[in-house]
Amino acid sequence: MAGVSLARDLVTGIGHPLVSPECRGGRLEQGAWTLLLLLAACGDPGEGELLVQAYGCVACHEIQNLNVEPATVGPTLRGLAQRRYIAVGLPNTPDNLVRWITDPQEVLPGTAMPDLGVTRREARAMAAYLLDLPEQTLQAGGRENAE
Amino acid sequence: MTPILNRGLLTSARRVVLSALVVLIVAGLGALIFIYSGRYDIAARRPHLMIVRSILTMLQERSVGFHASGIEVPPLDDPARVREGLVLYRKYCVVCHGAPGEAQGRVGIGLNPSPPPLVQAGRKWSDGEIYWIATNGLKMAGMPAFGLGHDPDQLWSITAFVRRMQTLSPREYQRMVAAAEGATDPGDIRWVAGDQGWARLREAGNPEQGAALISGFGCASCHTIPGIDGPRGNTGPPLGDFARQHYFAGRLVNTPENLIQWIIDPPGVDPRTAMPALGVTPEQALHIAAYLYSLGGKQ
């Protein structure tokens, strides 16, 4: 049931939390979501990983293990798929993410994220890669204080 | 008995030293052969081996620290200086280092090591070090020595602008560019930044009280915050590393002043946000900010 409504929302671009806390069932369900994300993003995550480095995204964002220097200008992209919103108040859907990557200044004028001239096709690949990044773990990179 | 024992000890010690020497020589030869073979990938588009990268980074950081340590920094909080620095920065530096809201050019992206975004340079380098790097450049890093074609005064202006950039929002930057390079100068541009609220935070902000307030206001229902019990929500971004982040809410520089204003009235600051106004008072927001800045290492 949750999967059907997600599919509908992705198609119509309304927006839907990608990994709703209520739906966090078994691993299988998580796998199905991921597959759906990749299909919806219509991009090749492998190519996306190369593009994310080619465009210098790692200069500002922490992305999985791609960073050589700590990158804290922008937010971490670990577990991006779990986030409900991106930018400010923009529902985190593949389409919105692609829009954001290609044209941040249009989506959020005055944002610190610059226009990099990413084409839509490239952005789809990058979105597919970013949305496939592993979940934010409870001990996020070991930097969280002990609870 | 004793002479025999002595001879035995000496021989085994000598053996150890000799073995160590042989190992070192063989390792050194091995390294030379490897280097000569050309097998090491020197392509800029692919990263160094981690060990090589660590050594080179340490070499660079320690060298700059050592050589720039005696530099006397002149007063940099001068509007005219910052303005001149902006013009020079846009001419020479933006292409590799970017600016608030402005991307580095193709040249910058293709370099290895990658030219860091200088909006955060102040975290790593002192003013004197920034001046030294701009003047002298960095070997094998693609960072030119601007001292060759510019006088110290201009380089201090660039340093002054880089310093100002640490607290510059993209909007303010765009206004500065328009004022410095175009015809418009509205006259209310803050060429010199204030304290941004740090002094007050350190004096009066109470992190423990902040933690209690965060629990009380239910922030943890949307944000994952270390030390605060909650459902580990993903509606808002995780705040574990908040102190290290340079921008937040898309276009605000991460300063106590901006953070407090945001906490008190997020939709007032940005109508698009999903974060609601919860009736937090300015004093409460100060303590909450104090707690958030205590996570992940303060500036």
Side-chain angles (χ1 to χ4, degrees):
Chain A
M1 201 137 345
V4 170
S5 66
L6 170 69
R8 186 196 66 222
D9 286 343
L10 282 175
V11 165
T12 56
I14 288 172
H16 184 96
L18 289 176
V19 182
S20 166
E22 301 94 327
C23 296
R24 208 167 275 153
R27 299 294 300 170
L28 188 64
E29 191 162 30
Q30 203 94 71
W33 284 82
T34 307
L35 191 59
L36 213 57
L37 290 177
L38 297 182
L39 291 172
C42 297
D44 170 20
E47 190 193 348
E49 183 174 354
L50 295 173
L51 286 166
V52 145
Q53 291 169 89
Y55 275 104
C57 310
V58 285
C60 292
H61 293 281
E62 184 200 23
I63 303 175
Q64 213 29 35
N65 53 6
L66 296 182
N67 298 86
V68 186
E69 297 254 332
T72 51
V73 177
T76 179
L77 301 183
R78 279 181 187 272
L80 182 65
Q82 294 170 274
R83 296 271 305 275
R84 189 170 175 146
Y85 296 101
I86 57 173
V88 180
L90 193 68
N92 186 6
T93 65
D95 259 358
N96 279 344
L97 183 57
V98 167
R99 247 182 78 206
W100 172 248
I101 292 172
T102 51
D103 214 345
Q105 294 293 334
E106 197 249 310
V107 172
L108 188 69
T111 181
M113 176 148 150
D115 280 333
L116 290 157
V118 184
T119 68
R120 211 171 158 73
R121 195 197 63 79
E122 291 171 327
R124 289 209 168 277
M126 291 157 83
Y129 169 70
L130 292 171
L131 290 171
D132 198 27
L133 293 178
E135 290 178 28
Q136 182 99 14
T137 59
L138 285 179
Q139 279 78 43
R143 280 189 296 267
E144 274 191 355
N145 291 344
E147 303 240 308
Chain B
M1 196 81 128
T2 319
I4 299 171
L5 220 74
N6 279 347
R7 206 181 297 137
L9 278 169
L10 270 173
T11 308
S12 88
R14 214 184 283 145
R15 224 181 275 138
V16 169
V17 170
L18 218 61
S19 319
L21 225 61
V22 169
V23 167
L24 279 173
I25 291 173
V26 168
L29 277 175
L32 282 173
I33 292 171
F34 176 68
I35 291 170
Y36 191 80
S37 77
R39 281 284 190 310
Y40 189 79
D41 186 6
I42 204 71
R45 67 194 298 182
R46 290 178 288 274
H48 271 299
L49 286 181
M50 203 57 223
I51 177 87
V52 175
R53 172 77 195 198
S54 305
I55 292 172
L56 291 174
T57 303
M58 185 191 289
L59 186 71
Q60 185 192 90
E61 288 172 5
R62 297 299 293 173
S63 177
V64 173
F66 177 81
H67 291 93
S69 60
I71 294 181
E72 260 189 57
V73 181
L76 296 177
D77 283 338
D78 171 49
R81 238 201 213 299
V82 174
R83 186 183 177 127
E84 187 195 16
L86 166 69
V87 174
L88 290 165
Y89 185 86
R90 279 183 60 79
K91 193 167 175 190
Y92 297 111
C93 318
V94 160
V95 64
C96 287
H97 289 287
E102 206 173 314
Q104 11 170 237
R106 283 278 161 210
V107 175
I109 288 178
L111 282 170
N112 182 347
S114 190
L118 292 183
V119 289
Q120 273 201 305
R123 282 176 188 246
K124 189 171 173 184
W125 307 109
S126 69
D127 291 335
E129 286 166 342
I130 290 171
Y131 171 82
W132 189 94
I133 293 174
T135 304
N136 294 294
L138 293 169
K139 285 188 173 73
M140 306 288 278
M143 170 63 196
F146 288 99
L148 289 174
H150 300 87
D151 57 58
D153 199 53
Q154 290 176 302
L155 287 155
W156 280 120
S157 294
I158 292 177
T159 307
F161 177 71
V162 170
R163 182 187 154 99
R164 177 64 182 99
M165 256 207 316
Q166 308 305 303
T167 49
L168 202 55
S169 74
R171 271 258 153 75
E172 275 185 290
Y173 170 71
Q174 278 153 19
R175 293 182 71 231
M176 276 188 180
V177 171
E181 296 183 351
T184 58
D185 189 342
D188 65 340
I189 289 180
R190 297 187 304 162
W191 293 103
V192 174
D195 157 75
Q196 314 284 329
W198 286 107
R200 187 167 164 254
L201 184 88
R202 286 183 190 120
E203 277 168 46
N206 183 334
E208 282 93 38
Q209 222 172 313
L213 287 162
I214 288 173
S215 298
F217 278 106
C219 311
S221 58
C222 287
H223 293 281
T224 303
I225 308 172
I228 310 285
D229 274 333
R232 306 206 146 273
N234 284 307
T235 309
L239 300 180
D241 275 334
F242 186 76
R244 301 196 328 151
Q245 234 178 277
H246 190 76
Y247 295 107
F248 75 101
R251 31 193 180 187
L252 300 173
V253 183
N254 187 358
T255 63
E257 259 175 25
N258 283 347
L259 179 60
I260 287 168
Q261 208 185 350
W262 173 260
I263 292 171
I264 293 171
D265 187 11
V269 176
D270 191 338
R272 302 164 48 121
T273 185
M275 177 161 156
L278 293 162
V280 182
T281 68
E283 205 205 313
Q284 290 172 324
L286 176 71
H287 300 309
I288 290 174
Y291 181 76
L292 292 176
Y293 283 124
S294 74
L295 302 171
K298 222 196 246 203
Q299 254 190 347

